[in-house]
Amino acid sequence: DIGSQRDRVVSEEEWLKKWELGNIGFHKERGHPLLQKYLDVLLNGRSGLRIFFPLCGKAVEMKWLADMGHRVVGVEVSEQALRGFFAEHGLSYCEEPVPEISGAKKLQSTSGNISLYCCSIYDLSSSIVGKFDGIWDRGALVAVNPRDRQRYSSLMITFMEKNSSYLLVTVSYDPNKHKGPPFYVPESEIKSLFG
Ligand code: SAH
């Protein structure tokens, strides 16, 4: 039930294990229909934007937006996911350490328009990655451990430019009937986090 979910934690190790075992039902080969539907809201008439993908996995939408001329920055704990992204799209890339974050790596497409940080979202700050014109949050807030939600949303807000758009994919369901993706986030909580 929702009450017991509040204390549940999915550790980084568990996420890495999911990637290793291929338990990645959340990954979709086709671009998300809601990004297509609300693309205008994200772009708001602007071109050449910097767009952030928190907890990016190997989301195909990163390639899609890059191909439209935007610069994409993602963050993901699984290096396997990030390498998979570049490999599956046939993109060459280089990697370098991130001086500000011990153990972190940045994988960047040779063309330079896709930069993926391999580290925890909580290691990043806008002094490292800058600010963004748009954020695509699909499977990110819902994957954040409930106890970290406030920290996560506050951090996201620090990544936003004045005219940023934040697209948050929400899922409305009865938490007593469905297990969730992986955590249930009540609408009232979304309003208090981002309202
Ligand atoms: N947004 C992606 C993936 C969603 S699944 C998509 O739409 O397909 C959530 C992802 O977050 C997983 O790939 C997991 O490895 C990653 N993750 C979990 N905790 C993280 C953290 N603290 N920092 C960065 N990535 C994290």
Side-chain angles (χ1 to χ4, degrees):
D1 64 66
I2 324 171
S4 67
Q5 271 206 8
R6 290 226 64 99
D7 305 316
R8 216 178 95 213
V9 171
V10 179
S11 67
E12 280 185 25
E13 289 67 33
E14 286 171 82
W15 283 109
L16 297 181
K17 200 89 213 154
K18 285 184 206 284
W19 280 100
E20 266 169 46
L21 299 173
N23 291 335
I24 52 164
F26 51 82
H27 176 70
K28 300 287 175 236
E29 296 291 339
R30 302 179 66 128
H32 203 291
L34 289 175
L35 181 54
Q36 304 192 5
K37 184 168 176 193
Y38 292 103
L39 185 64
D40 290 348
V41 176
L42 184 68
L43 303 182
N44 196 13
R46 303 166 296 172
S47 55
L49 304 188
R50 292 192 84 227
I51 299 176
F52 187 48
F53 278 66
L55 286 67
C56 61
K58 53 176 184 176
V60 298
E61 295 84 2
M62 298 194 283
K63 172 77 166 46
W64 194 55
L65 286 168
D67 286 347
M68 288 172 49
H70 304 293
R71 282 167 297 155
V72 168
V73 175
V75 60
E76 164 61 51
V77 284
S78 167
E79 190 171 333
Q80 183 183 346
L82 300 181
R83 292 194 193 281
F85 171 79
F86 288 116
E88 286 164 28
H89 295 284
L91 296 170
S92 59
Y93 62 97
C94 50
E95 57 181 274
E96 53 183 56
V98 183
E100 299 91 339
I101 311 168
S102 91
K105 277 183 195 165
K106 179 167 98 170
L107 277 53
Q108 189 169 39
S109 62
T110 310
S111 53
N113 55 354
I114 304 178
S115 302
L116 306 181
Y117 287 80
C118 187
C119 61
S120 169
I121 180 81
Y122 306 111
D123 294 331
L124 284 189
S125 65
S126 62
S127 63
I128 302 172
V129 290
K131 290 187 184 268
F132 298 92
D133 306 298
I135 299 181
W136 171 247
D137 183 324
R138 182 269 167 180
L141 175 65
V142 295
V144 162
N145 291 316
R147 63 173 190 197
D148 296 325
R149 277 179 197 153
Q150 183 66 59
R151 185 182 179 197
Y152 172 84
S153 64
S154 303
L155 182 60
M156 287 302 122
I157 289 164
T158 67
F159 290 136
M160 296 180 80
E161 278 302 359
K162 222 173 166 212
N163 295 314
S164 290
S165 323
Y166 190 120
L167 291 189
L168 172 67
V169 178
T170 59
V171 193
S172 181
Y173 59 97
D174 180 345
N176 298 310
K177 291 197 181 131
H178 304 277
K179 247 183 105 199
F183 293 109
Y184 177 69
V185 187
E187 188 173 0
S188 58
E189 190 164 352
I190 292 173
K191 293 213 166 102
S192 70
L193 291 171
F194 292 103

